[in-house]
């Protein structure tokens, strides 16, 4: 919440995702794998880690995604409301030995902490499509594997303003109305007169 409020172009906007056609959020979001439904696993950290590691060995990406805290938070609208993230069709990217490949640190549950998310403006959902989402397997200088994503994005047609139009009756009526209240609305009248030739609808 603090990060997105800091991206706001104006104080009224809330955050940049409310005023943008497409917004991307990515990085180490620190969400973990949290199995549910088996009280014994939930209460025993070592058993919990072992079950998660077995799911990785079995390449059961479906079960791992279902246990992903970020996916649950998005569905419950607990954070990043309106954002989506692709299905992780690959091994968890944390916590790993600092070498190529996926060799996990025994003391931690393998988790999808490194993520890419996106959000669209109103009725633009069909104009973006994720086409790739994968970890950088050979990255060896961190206990995380960075992830990368590619998207097809339909750009909006350029905004075409109409040429300047002749002053219409509505403009004359507005000026006449303001003139009647000239003493009370002197400042507003000057604004309308100063800009009337540059106003487009």
């Amino acid at each position: 919440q603090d990060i997105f409020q800091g991206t706001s172009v104006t104080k009224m906007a809330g955050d940049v995702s409310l005023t943008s056609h497409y917004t991307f959020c990515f990085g180490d979001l620190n969400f973990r794998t949290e199995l549910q439904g088996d009280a014994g696993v939930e209460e025993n950290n070592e058993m919990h880690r072992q079950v998660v590691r077995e799911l990785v060995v079995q390449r059961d990406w479906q079960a791992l995604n279902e246990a992903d805290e970020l996916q649950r938070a998005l569905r419950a609208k607990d954070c990043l409301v309106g954002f989506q993230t692709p299905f992780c069709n690959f091994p968890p990217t944390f916590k790993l030995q600092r070498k190529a490949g996926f060799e996990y640190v025994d003391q931690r549950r393998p988790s999808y902490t490194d993520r890419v998310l996106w959000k669209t403006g109103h009725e633009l959902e069909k104009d973006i499509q994720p086409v790739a989402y994968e970890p950088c397997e050979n990255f060896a200088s961190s206990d995380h594997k960075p992830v990368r994503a590619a998207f097809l994005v339909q750009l909006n047609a350029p905004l075409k303003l109409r040429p300047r139009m002749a002053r219409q009756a509505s403009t004359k009526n507005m000026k006449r109305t303001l003139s009647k209240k000239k003493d009370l609305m002197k400042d507003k009248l000057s604004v309308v007169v100063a800009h009337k030739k540059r106003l487009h609808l």
Side-chain angles (χ1 to χ4, degrees), residues 96-115:
L96 292 144
Q97 302 290 346
R98 296 173 188 262
K99 59 173 70 174
F102 291 91
E103 185 177 331
Y104 293 93
V105 174
D106 289 339
Q107 292 75 21
R108 306 294 282 275
R109 290 196 300 272
S111 298
Y112 295 111
T113 61
D114 309 281
R115 310 299 281 272

Side-chain angles (χ1 to χ4, degrees), residues 176-186 189:
R176 190 179 306 118
T177 300
L178 291 175
S179 296
K180 292 178 183 178
K181 302 177 181 179
K182 188 172 182 179
D183 293 336
L184 298 175
M185 304 184 68
K186 187 175 181 180
L189 177 64

Side-chain angles (χ1 to χ4, degrees), residues 56-94:
V56 174
V57 171
Q58 296 166 8
R59 302 175 65 84
D60 191 344
W61 311 142
Q62 183 66 42
L64 288 167
N65 276 261
E66 289 174 0
D68 172 40
E69 289 181 332
L70 176 59
Q71 294 278 16
R72 288 187 185 142
L74 292 176
R75 287 193 295 270
K77 294 182 169 37
D78 288 335
C79 69
L80 295 168
V81 176
F83 279 84
Q84 302 178 64
T85 187
F87 182 87
C88 296
N89 194 32
F90 48 80
T93 57
F94 175 84

